[in-house]
Amino acid sequence: MAAQLPAHSALPSSRERPPEGNRTRTRHSSPGGHPASGPQRPRPPTAGPRPTPRPRRRCSVTSGHARAAGAGLLLQGRDCVLTPHAGAGSRVWCPGVGCRRLIRVEPSRGQTVVRDVRTRMFHLRTCAAKLRPLTASQTVKTFSQNRPAAARTLGQIRCFTSPVAAEPFLSGTSSNYVEEMYYAWLENPKSVHKSWDIFFRNTNAGAPPGTAYQSPLPLSPGSLSAMARAQPLVEAQPNVDKLVEDHLAVQSLIRAYQIRGHHVAQLDPLGILDADLDSSVPADIISSTDKLGFYGLDESDLDKVFHLPTTTFIGGQESALPLREIIRRLEMAYCQHIGVEFMFINDLEQCQWIRQKFETPGIMQFTNEEKRTLLARLVRSTRFEDFLQRKWSSEKRFGLEGCEVLIPALKTIIDKSSENGVDYVIMGMPHRGRLNVLANVIRKELEQIFCQFDSKLEAADEGSGDVKYHLGMYHRRINRVTDRNITLSLVANPSHLEAADPVVMGKTKAEQFYCGDTEGKKVMSILLHGDAAFAGQGIVYETFHLSDLPSYTTHGTVHVVVNNQIGFTTDPRMARSSPYPTDVARVVNAPIFHVNSDDPEAVMYVCKVAAEWRSTFHKDVVVDLVCYRRNGHNEMDEPMFTQPLMYKQIRKQKPVLQKYAELLVSQGVVNQPEYEEEISKYDKICEEAFTRSKDEKILHIKHWLDSPWPGFFTLDGQPRSMTCPSTGLTEDILTHIGNVASSVPVENFTIHGGLSRILKTRGEMVKNRTVDWALAEYMAFGSLLKEGIHIRLSGQDVERGTFSHRHHVLHDQNVDKKTCIPMNHLWPNQAPYTVCNSSLSEYGVLGFELGFAMASPNALVLWEAQFGDFHNTAQCIIDQFICPGQAKWVRQNGIVLLLPHGMEGMGPEHSSARPERFLQMCNDDPDVLPNLEEANFDINQLYDCNWVVVNCSTPGNFFHVLRRQILLPFRKPLIIFTPKSLLRHPEARTSFDEMLSGTHFQRVIPEDGLAAQNPENVKRLLFCTGKVYYDLTRERKARGMAEQVAITRIEQLSPFPFDLLLREVQKYPNAELAWCQEEHKNQGYYDYVKPRLRTTISRAKPVWYAGRDPAAAPATGNKKTHLTELQRLLDTAFDLDAFKNFS
Ligand SMILES: Cc1ncc(C[n+]2csc(CCOP(=O)(O)OP(=O)(O)O)c2C)c(N)n1
């Protein structure tokens, strides 16, 4: 019946499926060990004997006594055929499963068969595949697997005209092997197999290519004599072909395990899913003796000794091993509880390093002390969740049950990193296990965590609550294992999974930068992920792509995936298309260590290796903790609705702590009373903290900061003043910066001719004491650098500037990568200037810069969008961090967003930075006029706002607002809509006079022309912001209306300059008020400005609108329409009768 339905609806997922014994059809064996009944897969007529059904799990070939016979009937499902000594019903070590489990040993047809009695659940994909007709490719695959060895040799794909056609092993990857043999032979001819000895002797004796080991075809008349010389040598060893092939086959086999061994590793603690979502065993993994045929080998080869290539470490001290032992060791290395994915890494040294870490026999050893530490950490992790469950059984806590091993895992990474010199670890993580990490890794005081569950706590400071799952943390302590100081910081995170990744990276980069840690030896990042989020969220990919860029690298992040094989209610097979959730990491050549998290020692081992990898290669690495989730998504959720069979299995699953404790007790590492003592010790700690937590009356959210800024605020967290000094500079400073900005390196540096002209023009501006936009930015940056403020400007193409106006990096036209950044040569002891073209990412890069800006208040960190509209691909960072960051997390941030904006006829895609969105998210009340008499009104307003939004109409004001950003005694995000055409507009210039000491940023630039001289005569007061000002003044001039129409520019849109605008309105008592914008009516600033202007004037007058009509797109794509619309809005702005009929 199932077969008649589409696969996705016909079959319950593997978790839903009944145990195999109850099923009617399967291609696996039934529990009784007989071939599955029911329909059989059609076989190609030429396929020879029926292929052995592929075992669901790899079995081991370690014992000749128990070897399977009879077309693989004994080697099915999870069965193992291994131990010569096992008696019926005995508990045996089963390498195929990798743990000591109860398996049944029974005689069968004269053979010993070992069966796994664990309930079997199979995989949806397997089942679906079974219902599909056999495809052509499958037929070919099956066929080729059973081809005799000779057909498998590489000869068939070689070019027969090549001289090496007869020595196929001399090319491709095999040549490495041959090369190794050769060097070994050179050193000691006896160290290699005799066949190789003969082969190399023949070669050295002058056998030409293709003749040293086999009779060549006559290739050319000239080669005949040479071959005639070699022939007798070869004939002296009739078995040489087979020996060479067998060695190559063994090399391929070793390589197959290195590449694909992880696919059959026992990773799922529940034993019901495949971590790679594929239940099949790769054809080249030896799951039964008949699979040897794939390599042209057979059972008789199992006891032959093969020389090992240098690309494996399974030999330990041995350079040769019997095939049987080779396979066993490969299984031990690659197919147990650790699945190592690394062969995609294109660096031999790194691959060798990993091979050595996992292949060396006996390398995974732990001292009893280490085992006891591991047990103690598991006790803490497990009992912490138990405690919370007991005390707050109806609270959500996103507990770690099913992945308790995360705590020892993180601690191992931290211990090992600390041992290697790291003293600052910055972490980012989602909800799952967060409290446990806070308590047991960061060591937040338990009472501080427990009191978060008390709903009666009053907040002592701002912050929107939700402390326990989102707020960050910062803690400095002694690492007990290494006895070294270590600082741990957990970055605050929003609900948006993975959004914190780039933020953590940015903060890490900043901490490294400020402590001169250029190689990431002291500061590192650890990112935790859920499996569904890691696979599903694009930001993960964007973050990985920052990992190796010079200005963004943190020199390696250790990623830990809590792979509980479910995302809320969604099965991984419906949640990703990649085999593993971690495949995204392959793009950066990060090794991926999958590990069964019910094997704590295996977990510890991979964590150690991961930390060592990072400190050795300074590259990313992924630890994939394959685990399960004991409860629902949260503790209130019922998982049985959607995953009934999985959860039936989970109910049966012994907690890892219990399993590990039993193991250690059985090994005599601890005894039962010691174990129980450890538990009651920790329970007591929790109880005492719980008692203390009741004394906590007030919730201090500021105790949950991830990056304190010591010294920036007063001790009670207040700004040191509520004033802002002048943002102007002396003439000398302006001139000096201007001169450097227009200079080129003195010697040996050829710059582009076009750039010379630009710099020359800059020089002239300096002489004329004026600045354009680019120079204004230079002045602001250059002066802050002088004051010790580090500046970092990042974004796509920011070095030159999208509009080719900036040119902060000069490129030698003759020498690749020879560059000069004059900004870094301004002053003797200046702060450094970082300007960096980013990857083509907004979400990732903006998140990164936000994180960078967290680290220090004494840095100006700017992110520039290529065009302002692209900011929306970083919307999550804007919405979740930048806009509400302080309100949610008590965390100030002074990041600056430069968003090119302006309606210039470029079409809908590059016109609008969407000011309406930023303005809509401002927290000032449109209907309430603040107390304008208050001292320092402007600064107080800034202090209260969630972010500052400006659109400057002059370079000078841009200069001032950048400097103000740092000179303010607190930090707020600053959103600047920056111009495009104004960058070169001849009128958009500012004189030095407006930038000298004593000058300030002008929140409002009032009318200063004729209209201002006789304000009573003014008929209309136009308010505007940004570039449209220049259109308005041009039109006003053209119409000769300089006395009738005043134009006031609102430069700081938010917080709204009520005070200055009131003054403006009062100055023109007879004027109509109108807001003019070039954006469409439903966009731009109108909806924000209008109610605030009305509030300013106590709604005494209407505020008219002169601008484009509402529209869905930000701009027309038609240049003519654009100009018509512009003219229409200018007509409205200057038609003094335009609003008559509406009054
Ligand atoms: C960007 C985003 N989309 C959706 C959600 C809602 N959500 C919360 S947890 C969750 C499942 C996450 O699964 P996984 O990453 O595997 O972590 P787990 O909860 O299993 O530990 C989802 C979809 C979210 N928090 N963030």
Side-chain angles (χ1 to χ4, degrees), residues 717-737:
Q718 297 305 310
R720 295 195 168 273
S721 77
M722 282 303 271
T723 56
C724 181
S726 162
T727 42
L729 298 170
T730 65
E731 179 99 19
D732 286 352
I733 292 178
L734 290 172
T735 309
H736 175 71
I737 298 172

PDB file of all heavy atoms in Angstrom, residues 717-737:
ATOM      1  N   GLY A 717      27.804  54.020  36.276  1.00  0.00           N
ATOM      2  CA  GLY A 717      27.356  53.808  34.901  1.00  0.00           C
ATOM      3  C   GLY A 717      26.813  55.031  34.192  1.00  0.00           C
ATOM      4  O   GLY A 717      26.174  54.918  33.145  1.00  0.00           O
ATOM      5  N   GLN A 718      27.067  56.216  34.749  1.00  0.00           N
ATOM      6  CA  GLN A 718      26.545  57.436  34.120  1.00  0.00           C
ATOM      7  C   GLN A 718      27.623  58.096  33.241  1.00  0.00           C
ATOM      8  O   GLN A 718      28.813  57.902  33.469  1.00  0.00           O
ATOM      9  CB  GLN A 718      26.123  58.446  35.195  1.00  0.00           C
ATOM     10  CG  GLN A 718      24.983  57.953  36.081  1.00  0.00           C
ATOM     11  CD  GLN A 718      23.778  57.526  35.278  1.00  0.00           C
ATOM     12  OE1 GLN A 718      23.300  58.253  34.411  1.00  0.00           O
ATOM     13  NE2 GLN A 718      23.289  56.309  35.516  1.00  0.00           N
ATOM     14  N   PRO A 719      27.197  58.891  32.260  1.00  0.00           N
ATOM     15  CA  PRO A 719      28.188  59.642  31.471  1.00  0.00           C
ATOM     16  C   PRO A 719      28.953  60.599  32.371  1.00  0.00           C
ATOM     17  O   PRO A 719      28.417  61.094  33.371  1.00  0.00           O
ATOM     18  CB  PRO A 719      27.325  60.417  30.469  1.00  0.00           C
ATOM     19  CG  PRO A 719      26.005  59.756  30.464  1.00  0.00           C
ATOM     20  CD  PRO A 719      25.826  59.118  31.803  1.00  0.00           C
ATOM     21  N   ARG A 720      30.180  60.865  32.017  1.00  0.00           N
ATOM     22  CA  ARG A 720      31.013  61.722  32.858  1.00  0.00           C
ATOM     23  C   ARG A 720      30.607  63.190  32.769  1.00  0.00           C
ATOM     24  O   ARG A 720      30.980  63.994  33.614  1.00  0.00           O
ATOM     25  CB  ARG A 720      32.485  61.551  32.490  1.00  0.00           C
ATOM     26  CG  ARG A 720      32.949  60.147  32.803  1.00  0.00           C
ATOM     27  CD  ARG A 720      34.433  59.963  32.826  1.00  0.00           C
ATOM     28  NE  ARG A 720      34.718  58.668  33.418  1.00  0.00           N
ATOM     29  CZ  ARG A 720      34.851  58.435  34.714  1.00  0.00           C
ATOM     30  NH1 ARG A 720      34.784  59.437  35.568  1.00  0.00           N
ATOM     31  NH2 ARG A 720      35.068  57.229  35.176  1.00  0.00           N
ATOM     32  N   SER A 721      29.892  63.564  31.710  1.00  0.00           N
ATOM     33  CA  SER A 721      29.350  64.929  31.639  1.00  0.00           C
ATOM     34  C   SER A 721      28.132  64.844  30.736  1.00  0.00           C
ATOM     35  O   SER A 721      27.878  63.816  30.131  1.00  0.00           O
ATOM     36  CB  SER A 721      30.370  65.883  31.039  1.00  0.00           C
ATOM     37  OG  SER A 721      30.402  65.699  29.633  1.00  0.00           O
ATOM     38  N   MET A 722      27.408  65.941  30.673  1.00  0.00           N
ATOM     39  CA  MET A 722      26.299  65.946  29.718  1.00  0.00           C
ATOM     40  C   MET A 722      26.482  67.122  28.763  1.00  0.00           C
ATOM     41  O   MET A 722      25.539  67.828  28.413  1.00  0.00           O
ATOM     42  CB  MET A 722      24.958  66.025  30.448  1.00  0.00           C
ATOM     43  CG  MET A 722      24.551  64.683  31.024  1.00  0.00           C
ATOM     44  SD  MET A 722      24.442  63.356  29.795  1.00  0.00           S
ATOM     45  CE  MET A 722      22.758  63.532  29.276  1.00  0.00           C
ATOM     46  N   THR A 723      27.720  67.304  28.358  1.00  0.00           N
ATOM     47  CA  THR A 723      28.002  68.352  27.378  1.00  0.00           C
ATOM     48  C   THR A 723      28.864  67.756  26.271  1.00  0.00           C
ATOM     49  O   THR A 723      29.443  66.687  26.426  1.00  0.00           O
ATOM     50  CB  THR A 723      28.791  69.519  28.018  1.00  0.00           C
ATOM     51  OG1 THR A 723      29.977  68.967  28.593  1.00  0.00           O
ATOM     52  CG2 THR A 723      27.977  70.241  29.066  1.00  0.00           C
ATOM     53  N   CYS A 724      28.935  68.515  25.209  1.00  0.00           N
ATOM     54  CA  CYS A 724      29.808  68.075  24.121  1.00  0.00           C
ATOM     55  C   CYS A 724      30.674  69.267  23.714  1.00  0.00           C
ATOM     56  O   CYS A 724      30.141  70.344  23.420  1.00  0.00           O
ATOM     57  CB  CYS A 724      28.960  67.605  22.941  1.00  0.00           C
ATOM     58  SG  CYS A 724      29.949  67.029  21.558  1.00  0.00           S
ATOM     59  N   PRO A 725      31.976  69.106  23.732  1.00  0.00           N
ATOM     60  CA  PRO A 725      32.826  70.238  23.360  1.00  0.00           C
ATOM     61  C   PRO A 725      32.663  70.579  21.884  1.00  0.00           C
ATOM     62  O   PRO A 725      32.038  69.830  21.133  1.00  0.00           O
ATOM     63  CB  PRO A 725      34.238  69.715  23.638  1.00  0.00           C
ATOM     64  CG  PRO A 725      34.126  68.233  23.604  1.00  0.00           C
ATOM     65  CD  PRO A 725      32.739  67.886  23.998  1.00  0.00           C
ATOM     66  N   SER A 726      33.274  71.689  21.504  1.00  0.00           N
ATOM     67  CA  SER A 726      33.247  72.066  20.081  1.00  0.00           C
ATOM     68  C   SER A 726      33.870  70.950  19.253  1.00  0.00           C
ATOM     69  O   SER A 726      34.857  70.325  19.649  1.00  0.00           O
ATOM     70  CB  SER A 726      34.052  73.352  19.878  1.00  0.00           C
ATOM     71  OG  SER A 726      34.382  73.486  18.511  1.00  0.00           O
ATOM     72  N   THR A 727      33.276  70.729  18.098  1.00  0.00           N
ATOM     73  CA  THR A 727      33.818  69.695  17.223  1.00  0.00           C
ATOM     74  C   THR A 727      34.744  70.309  16.164  1.00  0.00           C
ATOM     75  O   THR A 727      35.200  69.604  15.264  1.00  0.00           O
ATOM     76  CB  THR A 727      32.676  68.915  16.550  1.00  0.00           C
ATOM     77  OG1 THR A 727      31.663  69.845  16.146  1.00  0.00           O
ATOM     78  CG2 THR A 727      32.063  67.922  17.499  1.00  0.00           C
ATOM     79  N   GLY A 728      35.004  71.620  16.291  1.00  0.00           N
ATOM     80  CA  GLY A 728      35.878  72.295  15.324  1.00  0.00           C
ATOM     81  C   GLY A 728      37.350  72.007  15.600  1.00  0.00           C
ATOM     82  O   GLY A 728      37.720  71.436  16.622  1.00  0.00           O
ATOM     83  N   LEU A 729      38.195  72.431  14.640  1.00  0.00           N
ATOM     84  CA  LEU A 729      39.637  72.191  14.728  1.00  0.00           C
ATOM     85  C   LEU A 729      40.380  73.479  14.430  1.00  0.00           C
ATOM     86  O   LEU A 729      39.823  74.414  13.836  1.00  0.00           O
ATOM     87  CB  LEU A 729      40.051  71.138  13.699  1.00  0.00           C
ATOM     88  CG  LEU A 729      39.454  69.750  13.821  1.00  0.00           C
ATOM     89  CD1 LEU A 729      39.781  68.931  12.583  1.00  0.00           C
ATOM     90  CD2 LEU A 729      39.981  69.041  15.072  1.00  0.00           C
ATOM     91  N   THR A 730      41.644  73.501  14.768  1.00  0.00           N
ATOM     92  CA  THR A 730      42.418  74.686  14.421  1.00  0.00           C
ATOM     93  C   THR A 730      42.723  74.666  12.920  1.00  0.00           C
ATOM     94  O   THR A 730      42.715  73.613  12.280  1.00  0.00           O
ATOM     95  CB  THR A 730      43.757  74.717  15.182  1.00  0.00           C
ATOM     96  OG1 THR A 730      44.530  73.603  14.720  1.00  0.00           O
ATOM     97  CG2 THR A 730      43.563  74.639  16.688  1.00  0.00           C
ATOM     98  N   GLU A 731      43.037  75.856  12.436  1.00  0.00           N
ATOM     99  CA  GLU A 731      43.371  75.990  11.012  1.00  0.00           C
ATOM    100  C   GLU A 731      44.568  75.100  10.661  1.00  0.00           C
ATOM    101  O   GLU A 731      44.585  74.451   9.607  1.00  0.00           O
ATOM    102  CB  GLU A 731      43.698  77.470  10.721  1.00  0.00           C
ATOM    103  CG  GLU A 731      44.074  77.757   9.302  1.00  0.00           C
ATOM    104  CD  GLU A 731      42.914  78.328   8.488  1.00  0.00           C
ATOM    105  OE1 GLU A 731      41.961  78.816   9.105  1.00  0.00           O
ATOM    106  OE2 GLU A 731      42.975  78.257   7.247  1.00  0.00           O
ATOM    107  N   ASP A 732      45.525  75.025  11.564  1.00  0.00           N
ATOM    108  CA  ASP A 732      46.738  74.233  11.294  1.00  0.00           C
ATOM    109  C   ASP A 732      46.411  72.767  11.089  1.00  0.00           C
ATOM    110  O   ASP A 732      46.925  72.106  10.196  1.00  0.00           O
ATOM    111  CB  ASP A 732      47.714  74.329  12.480  1.00  0.00           C
ATOM    112  CG  ASP A 732      48.395  75.673  12.513  1.00  0.00           C
ATOM    113  OD1 ASP A 732      48.204  76.434  11.543  1.00  0.00           O
ATOM    114  OD2 ASP A 732      49.092  75.950  13.509  1.00  0.00           O
ATOM    115  N   ILE A 733      45.567  72.307  11.977  1.00  0.00           N
ATOM    116  CA  ILE A 733      45.217  70.873  11.871  1.00  0.00           C
ATOM    117  C   ILE A 733      44.492  70.622  10.555  1.00  0.00           C
ATOM    118  O   ILE A 733      44.793  69.672   9.824  1.00  0.00           O
ATOM    119  CB  ILE A 733      44.383  70.436  13.082  1.00  0.00           C
ATOM    120  CG1 ILE A 733      45.237  70.469  14.348  1.00  0.00           C
ATOM    121  CG2 ILE A 733      43.807  69.041  12.869  1.00  0.00           C
ATOM    122  CD1 ILE A 733      44.515  70.114  15.628  1.00  0.00           C
ATOM    123  N   LEU A 734      43.548  71.494  10.257  1.00  0.00           N
ATOM    124  CA  LEU A 734      42.798  71.309   9.007  1.00  0.00           C
ATOM    125  C   LEU A 734      43.756  71.333   7.813  1.00  0.00           C
ATOM    126  O   LEU A 734      43.677  70.491   6.910  1.00  0.00           O
ATOM    127  CB  LEU A 734      41.752  72.421   8.847  1.00  0.00           C
ATOM    128  CG  LEU A 734      40.560  72.368   9.822  1.00  0.00           C
ATOM    129  CD1 LEU A 734      39.700  73.632   9.682  1.00  0.00           C
ATOM    130  CD2 LEU A 734      39.707  71.128   9.598  1.00  0.00           C
ATOM    131  N   THR A 735      44.660  72.255   7.824  1.00  0.00           N
ATOM    132  CA  THR A 735      45.584  72.388   6.692  1.00  0.00           C
ATOM    133  C   THR A 735      46.489  71.159   6.600  1.00  0.00           C
ATOM    134  O   THR A 735      46.704  70.617   5.522  1.00  0.00           O
ATOM    135  CB  THR A 735      46.453  73.656   6.848  1.00  0.00           C
ATOM    136  OG1 THR A 735      45.577  74.745   7.106  1.00  0.00           O
ATOM    137  CG2 THR A 735      47.267  73.946   5.606  1.00  0.00           C
ATOM    138  N   HIS A 736      46.991  70.757   7.753  1.00  0.00           N
ATOM    139  CA  HIS A 736      47.893  69.603   7.737  1.00  0.00           C
ATOM    140  C   HIS A 736      47.181  68.365   7.184  1.00  0.00           C
ATOM    141  O   HIS A 736      47.690  67.673   6.295  1.00  0.00           O
ATOM    142  CB  HIS A 736      48.422  69.322   9.143  1.00  0.00           C
ATOM    143  CG  HIS A 736      49.257  68.072   9.203  1.00  0.00           C
ATOM    144  ND1 HIS A 736      50.516  68.008   8.642  1.00  0.00           N
ATOM    145  CD2 HIS A 736      48.996  66.835   9.719  1.00  0.00           C
ATOM    146  CE1 HIS A 736      51.012  66.779   8.816  1.00  0.00           C
ATOM    147  NE2 HIS A 736      50.098  66.052   9.472  1.00  0.00           N
ATOM    148  N   ILE A 737      45.997  68.112   7.703  1.00  0.00           N
ATOM    149  CA  ILE A 737      45.275  66.920   7.227  1.00  0.00           C
ATOM    150  C   ILE A 737      44.992  67.071   5.728  1.00  0.00           C
ATOM    151  O   ILE A 737      45.164  66.133   4.944  1.00  0.00           O
ATOM    152  CB  ILE A 737      43.956  66.708   8.012  1.00  0.00           C
ATOM    153  CG1 ILE A 737      44.261  66.473   9.492  1.00  0.00           C
ATOM    154  CG2 ILE A 737      43.163  65.537   7.435  1.00  0.00           C
ATOM    155  CD1 ILE A 737      43.045  66.437  10.400  1.00  0.00           C
TER     156      ILE A 737
END
